[in-house]
Amino acid sequence: MQAFEQLHGQRMSEPRRWSIGAADGLVAAVLLALMVGWLGVGPLFDVDEGAFAEASREMLASGDWGHTTLNGADRFDKPILVYWLQAAALALIGPHEWAARLPSALCAWGWAIATWAFVAPRWGAAAGRLAACVLLTSLGPLSIGRAATADALLNMLLALSLFDVWRFLEAATSEGIDDTRQRSARLALRRCFLWVGLGVLTKGPVALLIPAGAAFVWAAARGWAWRAVGRALTDVPAWAILLVVAVPWYAYALQRHGWAFIDGFLVRHNLERFSGPLQGHGGGPLYYVLMLPLLMWPWWPLLLPLLRAWRALLADEATRFLLAWAGFVWVFFSLSGTKLPHYALYGYTPLAVLGACWLARQRQLGGVAVAVVAACVALVGAGAASSWLAQAAARRFGDEHWRAVFDASALPAGPPLGGAALAVAVILAAAGWVWWRRAQGAPALAAAALVGAAWTAAEVVPWWARAFQEPVKTLALESTVRSLPLVQWQLHQPSVGFYRGAPAPRRAPQPGEVALTRLDRFERTGRAEVPAAEIVRQERGFALVVVPREPVR
């Protein structure tokens, strides 16, 4: 709590000038390497990665950059921006997993750098570096930052917009504001509306809802800040920027698709997502409270000092705004009928900032350091046990299909135990440094978290990708040697089309077609549905079948 009392003594409306040193460049380079390294080691995960990557590939192949399809059918799940970025990467690099994931990796890195640039002038260079490290080495941001989906892009834009919201509010509500600060406030506000416009092009109304909700909650708690909020709402150039960025594509989509676009995007993927559990993704009111420590791993112990210091946090205007941001996200999405773990990340940036600021000011880390180190070791240990955990889960909870997918005799070799032992040794060495040089413990903890994150990115996530997806990729590539159309039969694995290089619609195969299906479903109903289908290859629960052409009579 003492650290936050010190923060309260420093007026957050007067950020200092921040100069970038050699240490900053080194940390930024390490974080970039963490995000872009090993991106193409494992296959795409279905359903989400496969769907985004294949839709982007189809956009590139068709040359129609105004609309997305998946397996040839209209796709209204998300707006257009992330598909533009992924299709551009595929055009420059080629149809590889690395290219599909690269935009997310760069956006996650940009998310961390934006956080760093916000924190350093206000809380110091050390806190800025730590905030970037805490953010990117947390399991949730690390995962979405290395996945070919829209979430890293949206989180970067949310962070940029909300940081500029605060830059505007701190200038607009300060006493004796001069012309320079007025210009700075207007510039921050208009940048915010630019980020919001790009966010609306990324995932829709949520990109406007969260900055507006955070600002209104903060203003309501402050009691006399409504004038500043009114200035933001009546700034015509800011709204013009948002409308110029976001409206043209939406107008084009509405003109092209009419009610199908409204029903598919606005109704189904926004209103119905809030009103009920879409695709079975539900949860209780404490869903995000339970998910937060996992998404923060290994930094969840930082929650404890933040909870103890809540009075000091509420006493400072900037930390109160950060809490308004996080609180609005968790309350809103807790009320939503559809609950997914990554929704909590929309409000995680404030916690990473507050936790890093607390960490940077500690002389003796004590139990928090022990808990973070233990969490890093547990992360490495769980990764090393991936093969055993997968097989045990399949035996206990899985059906015939999943037992085949995780068949011990066919699974790839698990993450190397030697690498895990080396990672644990480095983490424990960092713990020893924390104990020996107590005043420099925070950088050592960041180094331990970086080791755990690098091990996870290089060995653990690729192993799970191969365990889940290697049969799908293998059979999709096998289908390319046959000059026959490919379909997905009783299956939804969008990455099939990406690896095949052509749409793979979901339906029963016709004569002269090849189909990818689950072996258990084929044996249970498929043979009776299409008696002429013949298995030509099978891989861990999946089968590639061919329906011979009908003989000419």
Side-chain angles (χ1 to χ4, degrees):
M1 182 171 176
Q2 182 180 2
F4 290 109
E5 290 174 344
Q6 294 170 0
L7 291 179
H8 181 48
Q10 173 190 332
R11 282 189 57 83
M12 294 295 294
S13 60
E14 300 173 358
R16 299 185 298 269
R17 186 178 298 276
W18 173 42
S19 60
I20 302 174
D24 299 318
L26 177 61
V27 172
V30 169
L31 293 176
L32 179 60
L34 173 67
M35 298 315 298
V36 302
W38 312 288
L39 280 179
V41 176
L44 297 170
F45 283 98
D46 283 319
V47 173
D48 288 344
E49 274 200 304
F52 277 94
E54 171 56 11
S56 299
R57 189 205 63 78
E58 290 182 24
M59 173 188 285
L60 180 62
S62 70
D64 183 355
W65 288 73
H67 175 55
T68 54
T69 60
L70 180 59
N71 293 319
D74 292 339
R75 176 172 169 83
F76 299 126
D77 292 45
K78 299 294 181 291
I80 201 72
L81 183 56
V82 70
Y83 301 106
W84 283 344
L85 297 180
Q86 289 185 349
L90 294 172
L92 291 172
I93 299 171
H96 308 295
E97 295 98 342
W98 195 85
R101 291 166 174 155
L102 181 60
S104 287
L106 295 178
C107 288
W109 185 72
W111 177 14
I113 297 303
T115 303
W116 187 345
F118 179 79
V119 172
R122 292 165 171 78
W123 283 313
R129 288 191 294 268
L130 279 172
C133 289
V134 167
L135 188 67
L136 280 195
T137 57
S138 297
L139 193 57
L142 179 68
S143 299
I144 67 165
R146 298 176 56 81
T149 65
D151 295 296
L153 173 59
L154 178 63
N155 274 282
M156 179 189 73
L157 293 170
L158 284 174
L160 287 168
S161 63
L162 280 146
F163 290 147
D164 276 333
V165 166
W166 177 246
R167 291 184 180 105
F168 166 76
L169 290 174
E170 70 178 347
T173 58
S174 60
E175 297 178 0
I177 183 170
D178 55 22
D179 291 342
T180 300
R181 292 187 68 85
Q182 286 184 6
R183 287 194 297 270
S184 176
R186 287 195 298 269
L187 181 61
L189 179 64
R190 291 164 190 176
R191 280 199 314 264
C192 170
F193 275 66
L194 170 63
W195 309 134
V196 169
L198 292 172
V200 171
L201 275 182
T202 299
K203 231 175 181 182
V206 69
L208 176 60
L209 176 69
I210 292 175
F216 273 88
V217 170
W218 177 81
R222 201 170 194 258
W224 53 276
W226 293 110
R227 184 177 179 182
V229 174
R231 284 181 56 190
L233 293 177
T234 57
D235 191 294
V236 174
W239 282 104
I241 291 171
L242 189 157
L243 295 175
V244 167
V245 169
V247 166
W249 177 80
Y250 278 91
Y252 170 76
L254 183 60
Q255 182 274 331
R256 177 170 176 171
H257 301 287
W259 184 258
F261 174 73
I262 296 175
D263 184 61
F265 172 70
L266 184 61
V267 176
R268 174 166 173 76
H269 287 284
N270 284 275
L271 299 180
E272 289 184 7
R273 191 176 291 270
F274 184 81
S275 62
L278 192 65
Q279 297 172 337
H281 297 299
L286 297 180
Y287 179 88
Y288 292 111
V289 173
L290 299 175
M291 291 303 305
L292 183 60
L294 180 62
L295 295 169
M296 290 184 66
W297 202 279
W299 295 106
W300 66 266
L302 293 178
L303 288 173
L304 304 177
L306 296 184
L307 288 173
R308 289 198 299 267
W310 67 272
R311 290 183 183 275
L313 292 173
L314 290 176
D316 180 81
E317 295 291 357
T319 55
R320 189 185 301 174
F321 175 78
L322 293 174
L323 292 176
W325 171 0
F328 176 80
V329 168
W330 291 323
V331 170
F332 178 81
F333 285 100
S334 293
L335 296 175
S336 174
T338 300
K339 293 181 173 63
L340 288 167
H342 62 266
Y343 292 170
L345 295 178
Y346 303 157
Y348 177 51
T349 304
L351 290 185
V353 169
L354 294 174
C357 291
W358 178 87
L359 199 61
R361 283 167 170 73
Q362 297 307 299
R363 293 297 179 183
Q364 295 184 353
L365 296 177
V368 170
V370 173
V372 170
V373 169
C376 291
V377 172
L379 181 65
V380 174
S386 292
S387 180
W388 179 84
L389 291 172
Q391 294 170 51
R395 286 194 299 268
R396 182 171 180 82
F397 305 109
D399 56 16
E400 177 185 354
H401 170 71
W402 290 110
R403 288 193 293 270
V405 169
F406 294 112
D407 179 17
S409 64
L411 270 178
L417 296 180
L422 178 61
V424 169
V426 175
I427 290 169
L428 293 179
W433 182 267
V434 172
W435 177 82
W436 183 46
R437 298 288 298 273
R438 296 177 186 273
Q440 300 179 24
L445 285 185
L450 278 167
V451 170
W455 159 260
T456 302
E459 297 291 350
V460 180
V461 174
W463 184 88
W464 283 98
R466 289 191 293 268
F468 276 105
Q469 298 291 143
E470 197 69 52
V472 175
K473 180 178 180 179
T474 298
L475 295 177
L477 295 175
E478 170 75 14
S479 73
T480 62
V481 304
R482 301 174 182 274
S483 56
L484 297 174
L486 174 68
V487 301
Q488 299 179 71
W489 187 15
Q490 300 179 327
L491 193 67
H492 185 37
Q493 304 279 163
S495 66
V496 170
F498 183 84
Y499 293 118
R500 168 81 178 194
R506 297 172 62 195
R507 57 174 173 81
Q510 303 298 316
E513 292 183 336
V514 62
L516 181 66
T517 187
R518 274 176 43 166
L519 185 60
D520 62 329
R521 292 174 180 170
F522 176 72
E523 297 292 354
R524 188 162 53 245
T525 62
R527 288 189 184 276
E529 183 181 349
V530 185
E534 302 172 356
I535 296 177
V536 294
R537 183 169 177 179
Q538 53 183 289
E539 292 282 340
R540 288 197 285 126
F542 293 90
L544 196 65
V545 303
V546 169
V547 181
R549 295 185 185 277
E550 293 178 346
V552 178
R553 296 184 179 180

